Amino acid sequence: MSLRLVGRSVLPVLGAGIFLWPVAPALAAPQHFEKHFTVKGKPVVVIQNIGNGRIEVKSWRNPEVVLTGTQASNKISIESEQAGDRIGVSSNLIDATAQPLEMEADFQLTVPEETELQLKTQTGLILVEQVMGDMTLESVAGDVHLKEVSGYIIVTTKSGSLICTQCAGKLNFNSISGSAQLLQPALSNVNLFTTSGNILFDGDFVRTGLYTMKSGKGLVEVRFSSSDSFDLNAQTATGTVDNQAADYLKPDSHGLKHIAGKYTKSFFGTIGQGLAKVELSSYSGTIRILKRD
Amino acid sequence: MRAKLQCHDVAELIEQEGLSPLPEAVGEHVAICADCQGLVADFNSILTAAHQLPAEVEPPARIWISLHAQLAAEGLIREEVAVIQPTRRAHWWEAFSGLLQGRALATAAVGLLIFAAGVVQLQRNSPVSPAESAKTQVQEPDALVDSGAALNSQEHELRAAEPAGTLASSSPVDDDLQKNLKTLNAFIAECQHHLKTNPRDQLAREYLAAALQQKAELLAEMMDRGRSVN
């Protein structure tokens, strides 16, 4: 192939490439940021992420909040403020032409062990570990993973799922299609609702605890241990009840008369002394209760 | 000769007739009663503070729909309890939210709604013969049905208003919201279908109310995203 031929075939391609260069969307290199906030008492940290991205929160013993992270482009800005022990962080759109990928921002927070959190993102994981304090966590499609956290925990998602491992305190979960898994919990008050997701409770029921778990179409599964003590009320409108713990359930003897609804399939019973109260329901899914060990 | 007013009469008259101008009899009493002077001063302070509050943004319709769905699911309201009877064929919460421009009015209206719900609850607790109960059940329009219809209407408006916006967008978040909307619509339809044959299934009503509430919140989120650029 002569040089002239090569030139004829390559040059138009190069020319077109140069011509189209500004049109093709190009992502700039991610920009890193880091900020330090000294706090005195129990801080309250609010992160409002308008775009997508992960939020990770871990704790340490220092009276300082450290925020690090990356932003995908300069079409968003990361702003923060501190007023005493309140710290606010937000990502803001500064270029209306930004594409979803250009609006991503990932946050890593290191906070004192006792910290209140209010976190919101669109997609991307919210991960919180070893933090004690009330927290409100909101996501559209991102999952929420909590490990060894305690406080009054409110999690709201549209399709993101929750995995809560060794959580304590009170938990309120609401989702359209997200699922919830509570593993080895020490929660005294649980309120879970999902329209089409599944629910798994695998752990002990705190005595005097109140537990309500509802799924519109999904599976609601409870795995209890022989040392548990709770009154159980399970009902479904058009679904099924899979009671694999019939041998352990005694009739409820706490004075409340349970009458199965005309339209629902339900069962009631007591495990142990019935000190906690567990209400399970599914509109059209399955309710399964089984002994763990 | 006119009977002398007591302090409790003054409070009642102010409640009925307002502060400006003070009813003549009230004025005479207040002039000589330190307690009532304090009461009037307090009312005036509240009014002054209220006038200084910034204009309130109209609460979104979803608030009323959620409230309505929740009250209906709990059996606390029925359609005939509607606080405002619109002359045109409009949902009561539309008229309601139209009225609610100010903080004070909003507070008063919510209080009124709760009061109305309480009255209905008392009525429900009064003994009713089974025949009357059945008759009422048949005649009652279902508040949950209306909530569902209102949300469908909002969904159509959203689609019409933003043909190239949220509902037509291809961002992952918007796709996810649309997917969830479909999930909710399918579930709502399933519950509504079930309730047509089993209108007294309380569990189904609770799930329907919860799904309607989620739909109201989802539509609000979609609208917010439509207003923002993402």
Side-chain angles (χ1 to χ4, degrees):
Chain A
M1 188 184 278
S2 69
L3 276 176
R4 186 178 290 176
L5 273 175
V6 171
R8 272 184 191 168
S9 56
V10 173
L11 282 177
V13 177
L14 277 176
I18 290 165
F19 179 72
L20 292 173
W21 182 265
V23 180
L27 278 178
Q31 297 164 30
H32 294 269
F33 52 85
E34 178 168 340
K35 291 192 174 182
H36 294 247
F37 308 92
T38 302
V39 294
K40 285 178 184 166
K42 183 174 162 184
V44 177
V45 180
V46 181
I47 296 185
Q48 182 90 8
N49 191 358
I50 55 147
N52 308 322
R54 291 166 66 99
I55 301 177
E56 291 183 19
V57 186
K58 295 187 178 179
S59 68
W60 64 357
R61 291 174 188 272
N62 301 341
E64 185 182 37
V65 172
V66 178
L67 170 72
T68 59
T70 54
Q71 60 184 89
S73 76
N74 56 8
K75 293 185 177 180
I76 57 169
S77 66
I78 307 297
E79 288 171 10
S80 60
E81 64 166 4
Q82 179 173 18
D85 283 347
R86 178 177 61 80
I87 293 154
V89 182
S90 62
S91 63
N92 300 296
L93 187 66
I94 53 177
D95 185 339
T97 64
Q99 297 299 305
L101 278 177
E102 296 173 311
M103 295 172 64
E104 285 193 5
D106 293 330
F107 298 89
Q108 287 92 41
L109 269 176
T110 309
V111 300
E113 284 173 326
E114 284 194 47
T115 300
E116 285 189 26
L117 298 170
Q118 195 171 317
L119 313 176
K120 181 175 183 179
T121 188
Q122 306 292 316
T123 64
L125 180 71
I126 295 180
L127 171 71
V128 183
E129 284 186 7
Q130 294 177 322
V131 175
M132 290 182 282
D134 297 345
M135 49 192 83
T136 303
L137 314 172
E138 202 176 328
S139 154
V140 174
D143 291 344
V144 178
H145 291 186
L146 307 177
K147 191 173 180 188
E148 296 174 48
V149 302
S150 65
Y152 188 0
I153 306 159
I154 299 173
V155 179
T156 310
T157 75
K158 297 293 181 276
S159 61
S161 290
L162 166 70
I163 298 179
C164 202
T165 309
Q166 295 177 298
C167 298
K170 299 181 178 185
L171 172 67
N172 198 322
F173 171 75
N174 189 294
S175 178
I176 295 172
S177 55
S179 296
Q181 286 186 37
L182 311 191
L183 309 172
Q184 301 169 265
L187 294 154
S188 61
N189 193 308
V190 169
N191 201 333
L192 312 178
F193 182 88
T194 172
T195 293
S196 66
N198 300 324
I199 290 172
L200 169 65
F201 185 101
D202 187 351
D204 298 334
F205 293 100
V206 173
R207 292 168 184 235
T208 73
L210 302 171
Y211 304 84
T212 304
M213 303 176 220
K214 298 180 176 183
S215 173
K217 302 175 83 166
L219 168 71
V220 179
E221 181 171 322
V222 166
R223 300 174 190 167
F224 65 95
S225 72
S226 52
S227 60
D228 276 331
S229 171
F230 60 93
D231 276 347
L232 177 69
N233 175 354
Q235 53 182 339
T236 176
T238 64
T240 54
V241 176
D242 177 12
N243 180 7
Q244 297 181 20
D247 292 346
Y248 305 93
L249 280 166
K250 299 177 293 187
D252 185 353
S253 57
H254 290 107
L256 279 179
K257 277 188 182 175
H258 295 290
I259 301 167
K262 182 181 169 187
Y263 306 99
T264 55
K265 295 169 206 163
S266 52
F267 72 88
F268 313 97
T270 296
I271 302 274
Q273 291 179 287
L275 296 177
K277 184 176 180 183
V278 178
E279 291 185 337
L280 312 176
S281 87
S282 179
Y283 172 75
S284 61
T286 298
I287 298 172
R288 181 174 298 138
I289 174 155
L290 61 149
K291 190 168 158 290
R292 196 180 330 118
D293 39 42
Chain B
M1 185 178 165
R2 194 163 48 196
K4 275 196 173 178
L5 284 182
Q6 301 298 314
C7 292
H8 65 266
D9 299 325
V10 169
E12 198 172 313
L13 275 169
I14 289 175
E15 192 182 326
Q16 287 167 3
E17 300 183 28
L19 275 170
S20 53
L22 270 180
E24 189 184 340
V26 173
E28 288 169 8
H29 175 89
V30 168
I32 55 167
C33 173
D35 285 348
C36 289
Q37 283 167 9
L39 179 72
V40 171
D42 285 347
F43 276 135
N44 278 324
S45 306
I46 292 166
L47 271 181
T48 308
H51 285 305
Q52 287 168 353
L53 288 173
E56 188 76 1
V57 177
E58 181 179 336
R62 70 184 171 90
I63 298 293
W64 307 113
I65 292 166
S66 296
L67 186 60
H68 188 253
Q70 189 64 35
L71 291 171
E74 290 174 12
L76 291 175
I77 59 166
R78 296 167 184 163
E79 203 57 22
E80 69 269 20
V81 185
V83 178
I84 292 165
Q85 295 288 341
T87 49
R88 67 180 174 89
R89 180 163 165 63
H91 295 288
W92 63 270
W93 52 83
E94 289 175 359
F96 218 64
S97 59
L99 267 178
L100 301 178
Q101 303 292 335
R103 197 185 299 267
L105 266 178
T107 309
V110 171
L112 197 58
L113 184 63
I114 293 167
F115 173 75
V119 169
V120 174
Q121 184 65 29
L122 285 175
Q123 286 173 346
R124 287 179 77 228
N125 291 340
S126 61
V128 178
S129 73
E132 281 175 337
S133 171
K135 191 179 164 190
T136 313
Q137 186 72 25
V138 171
Q139 287 173 347
E140 271 174 15
D142 195 326
L144 284 176
V145 173
D146 278 355
S147 296
L151 286 171
N152 284 342
S153 162
Q154 271 204 340
E155 185 183 338
H156 292 315
E157 281 172 24
L158 182 63
R159 287 182 190 281
E162 297 180 35
T166 311
L167 289 162
S169 166
S170 60
S171 96
V173 177
D174 293 329
D175 288 347
D176 191 81
L177 293 175
Q178 287 181 57
K179 199 172 135 198
N180 280 299
L181 184 57
K182 279 184 188 166
T183 300
L184 279 177
N185 281 339
F187 185 69
I188 287 167
E190 193 179 329
C191 290
Q192 286 171 335
H193 179 73
H194 175 81
L195 282 167
K196 273 184 187 168
T197 47
N198 305 290
R200 290 185 153 195
D201 186 339
Q202 193 56 35
L203 188 64
R205 292 180 72 83
E206 284 173 15
Y207 273 99
L208 176 57
L212 289 173
Q213 194 158 341
Q214 283 189 326
K215 183 173 176 180
E217 286 162 10
L218 183 67
L219 289 176
E221 176 110 20
M222 292 170 114
M223 284 174 194
D224 284 347
R225 286 180 62 80
R227 275 194 283 272
S228 68
V229 180
N230 186 23

